[in-house]
Amino acid sequence: TIGNIVWAYNGVGTYWGTLTGAFTGDLPRLSRCYFISADNNVNYYTVQKIDDDTIQLKIQNNTFAFANSRLNQTFIEFLYYPVPL
């Protein structure tokens, strides 16, 4: 584990995750995934690196509008594989 990411609400469907020095290196700038929410609708989220300390999580509903409360009962796993030297 890299540690406990501190999450902050940053607007409708947008959250910032902060952990000092956790996102260093050549990380993908944007990752997109879809998921089925508790109400059986398809939704989408993107994770974007902001800087070495911060990532942004954006959640969109099935019409691609930013939305709150879509990740209820949804598991997200962040995997980070450092590039070998």
Side-chain angles (χ1 to χ4, degrees):
T1 178
I2 62 171
N4 293 322
I5 299 172
V6 177
W7 291 99
Y9 181 76
N10 196 41
V12 175
T14 306
Y15 301 85
W16 285 42
T18 303
L19 184 60
T20 302
F23 312 110
T24 59
D26 192 20
L27 294 176
R29 288 289 176 194
L30 184 66
S31 176
R32 183 175 184 91
C33 222
Y34 74 92
F35 63 97
I36 306 297
S37 58
D39 60 1
N40 290 321
N41 283 315
V42 174
N43 296 269
Y44 307 88
Y45 69 82
T46 56
V47 178
Q48 179 178 8
K49 177 181 173 178
I50 302 299
D51 57 34
D52 288 351
D53 304 323
T54 310
I55 56 175
Q56 182 176 28
L57 173 66
K58 291 184 175 183
I59 300 102
Q60 296 170 286
N61 64 19
N62 58 342
T63 65
F64 296 101
F66 290 105
N68 292 329
S69 303
R70 305 311 305 161
L71 289 174
N72 295 343
Q73 301 177 8
T74 302
F75 177 79
I76 296 178
E77 181 178 26
F78 296 98
L79 299 174
Y80 172 57
Y81 298 101
V83 176
L85 298 175

